[in-house]
Amino acid sequence: MYSEKVMDHFNNPRNMGEIGHASGVGTVGNAKCGDIMRMYLDIDENGIIQDVKFKTFGCGAAVATSSMATELVKGKTVQEALQVTNKAVMEALDGLPPVKVHCSLLAEEAIHAALWDYAEKNNIVIEGLKKPVSDIAEKEEDVSETY
Ligand code: FES
């Protein structure tokens, strides 16, 4: 049911934890399943993501997708991190079962929420970044139409 990569990231999550004095912190949840994700970003003065950590109270697919998402954004610019969609994360994990696709939205949305927090703290506008939702269940219908 799950790819080897999903199982690997679930069993050995990368970048789990938190960052004190993070440049940006984002928390999102899914009211339908009750899962919660928090993402911490450490961004340097050149807008490069030097470090990223996550904490989750979520299912295995949420853990695996968050772990992969952190690997994909680490070392990237803020703009590049915006391109790390849940679809990109799923592709990097060799796919997710259809019923678990929504779990990958937590990671994407938590990164966006952390970037939003960073932008607000620094009084900047990140082009292409929309105000994140705190409950991704609102977005799920769009996703099930896409997949
Ligand atoms: Fe809630 Fe996976 S079941 S994030």
Side-chain angles (χ1 to χ4, degrees):
M1 180 172 170
Y2 288 115
S3 72
E4 271 176 35
K5 283 189 188 163
V6 172
M7 291 311 291
D8 178 33
H9 279 263
F10 170 61
N11 286 318
N12 308 292
R14 325 298 200 261
N15 305 307
M16 199 140 77
E18 53 190 281
I19 299 174
H21 307 291
S23 315
V25 182
T27 307
V28 296
N30 182 331
K32 277 194 196 154
C33 61
D35 292 349
I36 297 169
M37 170 84 48
R38 180 166 295 164
M39 201 63 81
Y40 302 81
L41 296 176
D42 181 18
I43 302 171
D44 71 13
E45 61 282 3
N46 298 316
I48 310 281
I49 298 172
Q50 293 293 347
D51 200 8
V52 47
K53 294 258 191 287
F54 79 96
K55 271 169 105 175
T56 187
F57 186 81
C59 72
V63 172
T65 48
S66 305
S67 168
M68 180 54 91
T70 58
E71 293 231 295
L72 293 178
V73 301
K74 204 169 186 173
K76 300 272 168 68
T77 65
V78 164
Q79 277 302 331
E80 286 166 341
L82 266 187
Q83 311 306 318
V84 178
T85 59
N86 74 309
K87 198 162 174 255
V89 173
M90 283 194 298
E91 277 170 12
L93 283 170
D94 295 336
L96 275 179
V99 293
K100 287 286 170 185
V101 167
H102 74 273
C103 312
S104 62
L105 270 181
L106 269 183
E108 176 189 318
E109 206 58 28
I111 289 172
H112 288 185
L115 288 171
W116 185 268
D117 182 45
Y118 161 74
E120 281 202 322
K121 280 182 180 148
N122 291 280
N123 226 349
I124 54 172
V125 174
I126 298 175
E127 207 178 318
L129 178 64
K130 297 201 189 79
K131 192 170 181 6
V133 296
S134 54
D135 175 10
I136 59 142
E138 295 167 23
K139 285 196 159 183
E140 272 178 30
E141 275 150 36
D142 306 350
V143 173
S144 46
E145 277 166 22
T146 319
Y147 296 94

